[in-house]
Amino acid sequence: MSLLTHVLACLFGMGSWVAINGMWVELPLVVTEIPEGWYLPSYLTVLIQMANIGPLFITLMHRFRPGVLDERPVIYCIVGLGIVATFLLAFFWRQTMTIGGSLHSVPLLVLTFLLSVVDCTSSVTFLPFMMRLRPQYLTTYFVGEGLSGLVPALVALTQGVGLVHCQNATLAVVANQTADNATMVGSGELQAIYQPARFSAQVFFVFLSVMMVVSLVAFILLNHHPSVARERKNDLYFSGDLAPGKREQGLSLHAQTPEQKPMISHLESKREAKSSFGKGTYSNLEVVFIFVVLAWVNALTNAILPSVQSYSCLPYGNKAYHLAATMAAVANPVACFIAMFLPIRSLFFMGFLTMFGTGFGAYNMAMAALSPCPLLVHSASGTAVIVLAWILFVLSLSYVKVTIGVILRDEGHSALVWCGAVVQLGSMLGAVSMFPLVSVYGLFRSGDACNTKCPM
């Protein structure tokens, strides 16, 4: 394997979701400068779901016109669009327009929609492109995809986004009996004051544009660098429409890597007829199981739990919230590294790990529902448990996502297209289900980073 190809695959993967992830972590700075305020996250959720028109078009093209659409020109277009949109965002995100008698951040919303189209479409184009390389590089790509969330988060932490300090607040003025004498009375409560950022949102958006440029350069080198070309030429098993004899030859080359046969039940699998999906490795029941797990895991990790992370963590304090968010972002690429060196493709183990991660997700959701007074809110153990729960939740389900991606990669090009489509479908269903609960009905209550008053 080529180290250069691994690095390029990682840098290419970083461009998949870096724009939208960067927008989310920059929200505390952005919302104070625009008329939408903290309604912006709700608008972002809607815009991201509208952007699924891109993956829908790509998926339908592969379904009804197989072989007509080449991912490479599409990737050049969407990554180029991402570069331009993030660069323009740096200079126009504060601009407003009057619509219906009120001010709205039209340039910000339009550019965010374009970035959502870029990132959503990457799910159904980047993965199928990785089909051209050996399966080991797909895991490296997932590492880069994880870094697309981690790197902006670390830069935002360096920037000082969302960091607060608590100070005494004077809440009332009580007049004495005489009109000419007034005394300021402090309640003893603390007020959360956001610290000024070390550099502006404009610099941050330019940084995102540079990351998109790096991803584009990596993609160009993956297509044209001689060492990468040799990697593609030597990979017979994954070269698309091969003759049966050559495919068997490629299979013998691929057999050098030990691989477990993923089964729900070994005996039942023997009796069941194999499906027509991919290369026919799995039964219909196994294919359904894989895609249901994929949709469920992405719904949890991309939409359902992120929408309530602040509710579950902020009652324990601002440090707990930032530690949980940062360590959860670190857990994603760590899971990819584990999958690279310890691949376990058993569907039974995949189901177990999904239930394991879902259990920690249920705990996080329960703490969000109990906000602002979750369990152990006044103790250091409560803080440790909530941070650990977020780490294990992301770590286990990220491993499941990588495993499914590698399994479907072995099933061929169309399988990876459907993989990306199901990822977007699961994320969309999760966002649609949580949006009314969080933004419309207000079922979750925020905890105050400085004043959490709960019974002991």
Side-chain angles (χ1 to χ4, degrees):
M1 291 184 295
S2 166
L3 177 60
L4 174 63
T5 307
H6 275 295
V7 173
L8 293 177
C10 182
L11 294 176
F12 175 56
M14 287 178 64
S16 57
W17 281 94
V18 68
I20 293 302
N21 287 333
M23 175 61 71
W24 279 110
V25 300
E26 194 70 2
L27 281 180
L29 278 185
V30 172
V31 295
T32 60
E33 303 278 346
I34 61 174
E36 288 79 7
W38 278 106
Y39 286 105
L40 181 61
S42 299
Y43 294 157
L44 288 183
T45 303
V46 175
L47 290 173
I48 292 172
Q49 302 319 312
M50 291 173 59
N52 279 307
I53 186 175
L56 177 62
F57 172 77
I58 300 295
T59 305
L60 292 177
M61 283 292 293
H62 281 289
R63 174 65 180 86
F64 296 106
R65 300 293 299 275
V68 172
L69 186 65
D70 185 358
E71 287 85 14
R72 287 174 293 183
V74 178
I75 293 174
Y76 279 118
C77 290
I78 63 173
V79 176
L81 177 62
I83 294 171
V84 174
T86 49
F87 187 76
L88 292 178
L89 199 60
F91 299 95
F92 295 102
W93 68 272
R94 277 200 190 96
Q95 303 300 315
T96 58
M97 296 177 62
T98 302
I99 299 178
S102 59
L103 289 176
H104 292 280
S105 305
V106 175
L108 172 66
L109 296 176
V110 170
L111 291 172
T112 301
F113 171 73
L114 294 178
L115 292 176
S116 300
V117 172
V118 170
D119 289 2
C120 290
T121 308
S122 72
S123 296
V124 292
T125 53
F126 284 23
L127 280 174
F129 170 77
M130 293 303 297
M131 182 73 188
R132 303 171 185 270
L133 303 176
R134 298 192 180 200
Q136 294 86 348
Y137 299 117
L138 181 64
T139 307
T140 309
Y141 165 84
F142 279 116
V143 172
E145 193 174 82
L147 292 176
S148 72
L150 174 61
V151 173
L154 294 178
V155 173
L157 284 178
T158 305
Q159 185 183 14
V161 170
L163 296 179
V164 302
H165 68 275
C166 302
Q167 67 180 22
N168 289 325
T170 301
L171 301 180
V173 177
V174 178
N176 287 342
Q177 296 295 330
T178 57
D180 60 345
N181 186 17
T183 305
M184 301 295 292
V185 179
S187 68
E189 290 197 2
L190 299 175
Q191 182 178 3
I193 305 297
Y194 282 94
Q195 297 178 3
R198 294 183 179 90
F199 52 88
S200 66
Q202 182 182 47
V203 175
F204 183 83
F205 289 134
V206 170
F207 166 75
L208 294 182
S209 182
V210 171
M211 289 192 67
M212 293 296 295
V213 171
V214 170
S215 178
L216 178 61
V217 172
F219 178 66
I220 293 172
L221 292 177
L222 284 173
N223 280 284
H224 301 291
H225 197 278
S227 66
V228 180
R230 287 194 295 270
E231 292 290 319
R232 289 198 302 270
K233 183 184 297 184
N234 293 335
D235 190 7
L236 298 176
Y237 179 65
F238 298 105
S239 59
D241 300 326
L242 292 176
K246 290 185 178 180
R247 184 172 295 168
E248 291 176 3
Q249 179 185 0
L251 182 59
S252 65
L253 292 175
H254 182 63
Q256 62 186 350
T257 303
E259 177 179 338
Q260 300 183 24
K261 173 67 175 69
M263 294 182 183
I264 298 175
S265 170
H266 180 72
L267 295 177
E268 290 182 1
S269 181
K270 281 186 174 181
R271 299 190 191 103
E272 293 176 356
K274 294 302 179 183
S275 69
S276 58
F277 177 80
K279 294 180 171 60
T281 309
Y282 301 93
S283 67
N284 289 319
L285 178 62
E286 290 172 332
V287 172
V288 170
F289 173 76
I290 290 172
F291 280 121
V292 167
V293 169
L294 182 63
W296 172 251
V297 166
N298 281 278
L300 290 180
T301 57
N302 296 346
I304 295 177
L305 269 300
S307 65
V308 298
Q309 186 174 36
S310 60
Y311 297 100
S312 67
C313 297
L314 273 180
Y316 297 96
N318 191 63
K319 289 183 179 179
Y321 172 62
H322 281 280
L323 187 60
T326 304
M327 296 306 296
V330 172
N332 192 322
V334 168
C336 299
F337 276 113
I338 295 174
M340 182 184 300
F341 298 105
L342 189 63
I344 301 177
R345 303 188 186 186
S346 165
L347 297 191
F348 176 81
F349 179 75
M350 182 193 302
F352 168 78
L353 205 56
T354 301
M355 291 188 293
F356 178 80
T358 301
F360 286 104
Y363 177 83
N364 296 332
M365 179 64 73
M367 295 307 100
L370 293 173
S371 178
C373 297
L375 299 178
L376 304 173
V377 67
H378 294 295
S379 66
S381 59
T383 301
V385 169
I386 193 66
V387 172
L388 184 63
W390 273 99
I391 293 174
L392 293 177
F393 163 72
V394 175
L395 186 70
S396 55
L397 296 190
S398 295
Y399 184 94
V400 172
K401 287 194 288 186
V402 175
T403 301
I404 293 178
V406 173
I407 287 175
L408 294 179
R409 195 248 187 264
D410 290 352
E411 291 304 298
H413 181 275
S414 62
L416 280 183
V417 174
W418 282 107
C419 175
V422 172
V423 166
Q424 290 304 115
L425 176 64
S427 302
M428 181 185 69
L429 293 177
V432 169
S433 64
M434 290 304 295
F435 179 78
L437 300 179
V438 176
S439 302
V440 179
Y441 298 108
L443 297 184
F444 299 90
R445 292 188 298 165
S446 300
D448 192 324
C450 296
N451 300 291
T452 302
K453 294 183 178 179
C454 300
M456 297 296 290

